[in-house]
Amino acid sequence: MRATAAAVIAYVVAQRVSSSPQPLLAPLTALIVVQVTLYATLTSGVQRVASVVVGVLVAVGFAHLVGLTWWSLAILIFASLALGRVLRLGPAVQEVAISGMLVMGVANPAATAQGRALETLIGAGVGVLLNLLVPPSVYVQTAGEAVDRLADQLSDLLHRMAREIQEGASAENAGSWLSEARRIDREFVRVDIALVKAEDSLRLNPRGRQLLHTRLILRSRMDTLDHCAVSVRSLCRTLVDLCGPHHRALLSDEQLTDSLGGLLSHLADSFDAFGVIVTTEIAPDTKPNRDDLDHALAQARMRRDAAAELLRSRVWDDPQGWELAGALLAAVDRLMTDLQVGTRPPGETRRSRSSRIPRLAAHRLATTVRVLRKWMASAAQSRRRAALSPTPGRSRPSDDHVLREKITPQ
């Protein structure tokens, strides 16, 4: 609706201002300029106007100097594209050469250049003005839902692993877990695109003034899930080895599988609670509740300690089993640590680091002063020794004279 309204308004304005009977370039520019976000609209408008102006100026210059021939056309296109790259016009680079060719191929290049620049300016101005008057929507909720879906996918995978381990997992099950973990890892590209779109929608947008803090929150939460996805993939890779023929007996132990299944189930509940925290944080005037996440992590730690005791007793005489058990527990520990730390406010770590700067500066200053004092004391002691030592060509003073002139240290 915004794009259609901008194109129609630009056409009506161009009809009254421009000398062209059908100024279709104005609605075309407005249609291209109006983007999903206000920041993209402003950027597109500036690039579009700059590309047309540069193109018509180059074309008018060529038309006055050489006219239209095959070699002048080649120079025009090359020069236009080069100028567009130098000016960093982005997607509007081709518009420089297109405007130059269209202006150069008419009978009156100067008049055509003036009309084309005017229509482009009208279309870009109408598109930007309409987006300022009717700001586009913000996409924070969409990005938050994308991050929440990512947490749900990790939770579903862990729930499935817990269920199949308790039922008796096979090597095929473990291979499917690893494949699913790798597929989830590729989903981060789509979530990153949604976050970039949400960040752009908040720039220069009056609707997003109260949601500016959500940019740091969503980016921080996605980074946390990225680290967790690496730990989950490492966990799945270790379970693939445990499901192999040499260590198949470990996952056949009913007590151990029950403990591992409960551990993975509580980790899955932690991801569910993490997703709820993310969706709550981006809502205005709401405070997230961490009780469910803390409870799930506390239960997971109890299960982790129980599983560690069982693994220690099962792999006591198996060196390779020690490595697999250690890798399994290390992946679980990293996962719980990332979830625990990943829900803190994004600025908390930064503030703690900034508060350490004065303490570090004071410590370094005190160390420097201490070193200088030692150096000065050492230099003074060296001068005293030099004063008391005999010099060549002089007789050694008597002991009584040395004692009288001896300097007592402070």
Side-chain angles (χ1 to χ4, degrees), residues 77 216 289 292 303 335 342 380:
I77 295 174
L216 294 176
N289 186 6
D292 292 340
R303 290 283 188 167
L335 197 57

Side-chain angles (χ1 to χ4, degrees), residues 31-48:
L31 193 62
I32 296 174
V33 165
V34 175
Q35 301 291 327
V36 178
T37 64
L38 182 57
Y39 177 76
T41 299
L42 293 173
T43 304
S44 177
V46 172
Q47 290 177 345
R48 192 69 51 183

Side-chain angles (χ1 to χ4, degrees), residues 38-39 42 132 135 199-208 212:
L38 182 57
Y39 177 76
L42 293 173
L132 289 174
E199 291 169 352
D200 288 342
S201 68
L202 292 174
R203 295 180 180 179
L204 307 176
N205 196 334
R207 295 184 179 180
L212 293 177

Side-chain angles (χ1 to χ4, degrees), residues 121-284:
L121 187 60
I122 291 173
V126 169
V128 172
L129 183 61
L130 187 63
N131 265 10
L132 289 174
L133 296 177
V134 186
S137 302
V138 294
Y139 294 91
V140 172
Q141 190 67 31
T142 305
E145 292 173 356
V147 176
D148 186 24
R149 283 196 299 271
L150 201 58
D152 290 340
Q153 292 178 11
L154 291 171
S155 174
D156 293 340
L157 174 60
L158 290 174
H159 274 303
R160 174 190 165 194
M161 292 167 60
R163 183 178 63 255
E164 293 180 355
I165 284 178
Q166 290 175 340
E167 294 175 354
S170 61
E172 290 77 11
N173 296 133
S176 65
W177 301 339
L178 184 58
S179 300
E180 180 66 15
R182 290 171 176 169
R183 187 197 64 79
I184 294 175
D185 189 61
R186 293 191 291 269
E187 293 292 323
F188 282 90
V189 178
R190 299 181 182 179
V191 179
D192 185 70
I193 293 174
L195 288 183
V196 171
K197 185 178 179 181
E199 291 169 352
D200 288 342
S201 68
L202 292 174
R203 295 180 180 179
L204 307 176
N205 196 334
R207 295 184 179 180
R209 291 176 181 175
Q210 298 179 352
L211 299 174
L212 293 177
H213 67 285
T214 58
R215 294 186 299 175
L216 294 176
I217 291 176
L218 290 175
R219 182 64 62 179
S220 175
R221 302 306 176 246
M222 195 197 76
D223 291 342
T224 299
L225 289 180
D226 192 9
H227 298 158
C228 291
V230 174
S231 299
V232 170
R233 192 167 65 248
S234 176
L235 179 64
C236 293
R237 188 67 187 85
T238 304
L239 289 173
V240 168
D241 295 334
L242 287 175
C243 289
H246 299 289
H247 303 90
R248 185 69 185 85
L250 286 175
L251 294 185
S252 300
D253 189 309
E254 183 178 356
Q255 192 175 4
L256 181 59
T257 55
D258 181 70
S259 181
L260 287 177
L263 171 61
L264 295 177
S265 179
H266 288 303
L267 288 177
D269 295 338
S270 301
F271 277 107
D272 291 333
F274 184 87
V276 173
I277 290 176
V278 171
T279 55
T280 307
E281 282 179 322
I282 62 177

Side-chain angles (χ1 to χ4, degrees), residues 365-379:
L365 180 60
T367 303
T368 304
V369 172
R370 214 163 33 243
V371 171
L372 286 175
R373 286 179 177 175
K374 288 182 180 180
W375 179 80
M376 293 173 64
S378 177

Side-chain angles (χ1 to χ4, degrees), residues 301-318:
R301 288 190 185 92
M302 294 176 57
R303 290 283 188 167
R304 184 264 179 205
D305 295 338
E309 292 294 333
L310 292 173
L311 284 172
R312 187 182 295 110
S313 62
R314 301 300 189 271
V315 299
W316 185 260
D317 297 328
D318 186 5

